[in-house]
C-alpha cells in the first residue's frame, strides 16, 4: 500500500509538473501571440501612415501639375487671343493695301487712257 501511495504521489507529482509545464508553455505561447499581435498592429499602423503620406504626396504633386497645366493653358489662350488680334490687324492692312493698289490701277488706267487719247490726236 505504501508503494501504491508512493506511485500515486509520483504520478500526481509528474502530472502536476506536466500541467505546470503545459501552463507555462501556454503562457509563453500567449505572450508570443500578444507580442506578435502588437507588432502586427504597429506594422499595420505604420503601413497605413506611410500609405496616407504617399497619397498626400501624390495628391500634392497632381495638384501642382494641374495648376501648372491650367496656367499654361491660360497663357496659350492669351497668346492665341493676341495672335487673333494681330491676324485681324493684318487682314485690315491687307484690305487697305488692296484698296490702295486698286486705286493706283484705276489711276494708271485713267492715265493710260489719257495718254492713248493724246497720242491719237
Amino acid at each position: 500500500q505504501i508503494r501504491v501511495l508512493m506511485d500515486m504521489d509520483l504520478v500526481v507529482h509528474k502530472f502536476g509538473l506536466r500541467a505546470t509545464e503545459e501552463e507555462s508553455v501556454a503562457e509563453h505561447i500567449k505572450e508570443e501571440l500578444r507580442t506578435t499581435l502588437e507588432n502586427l498592429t504597429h506594422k499595420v499602423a505604420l503601413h497605413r501612415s506611410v500609405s496616407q503620406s504617399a497619397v498626400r504626396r501624390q495628391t500634392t504633386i497632381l495638384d501642382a501639375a494641374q495648376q501648372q497645366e491650367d496656367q499654361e493653358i491660360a497663357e496659350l489662350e492669351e497668346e492665341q487671343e493676341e495672335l487673333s488680334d494681330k491676324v485681324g490687324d493684318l487682314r485690315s492692312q491687307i484690305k487697305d493695301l488692296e484698296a490702295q493698289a486698286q486705286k493706283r490701277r484705276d489711276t494708271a488706267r485713267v492715265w493710260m487712257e489719257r495718254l492713248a487719247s493724246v497720242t491719237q490726236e
Side-chain angles (χ1 to χ4, degrees), residues 37-51:
L37 180 60
E38 288 173 2
N39 288 341
L40 287 174
T41 302
H42 177 71
K43 285 181 181 179
V44 166
L46 183 62
H47 178 69
R48 184 175 293 134
S49 173
V50 167
S51 294

Side-chain angles (χ1 to χ4, degrees), residues 17-96:
L17 284 177
R18 284 188 186 155
T20 304
E21 287 174 5
E22 288 172 0
E23 287 173 4
S24 176
V25 168
E27 274 303 312
H28 181 70
I29 290 172
K30 284 181 185 177
E31 188 60 36
E32 287 291 323
L33 287 173
R34 191 175 300 119
T35 303
T36 302
L37 180 60
E38 288 173 2
N39 288 341
L40 287 174
T41 302
H42 177 71
K43 285 181 181 179
V44 166
L46 183 62
H47 178 69
R48 184 175 293 134
S49 173
V50 167
S51 294
Q52 289 172 346
S53 177
V55 166
R56 282 192 299 272
R57 232 183 353 265
Q58 289 172 348
T59 301
T60 301
I61 290 169
L62 289 174
D63 288 347
Q66 183 65 47
Q67 287 176 352
Q68 183 177 357
E69 184 177 336
D70 291 346
Q71 182 179 356
E72 289 173 359
I73 288 171
E75 289 171 359
L76 288 173
E77 287 173 344
E78 186 178 319
E79 186 177 341
Q80 181 182 12
E81 190 174 318
E82 289 172 3
L83 289 174
S84 292
D85 291 346
K86 287 181 182 180
V87 166
D89 291 345
L90 290 173
R91 284 184 177 153
S92 177
Q93 288 177 5
I94 288 171
K95 285 181 183 179
D96 291 346

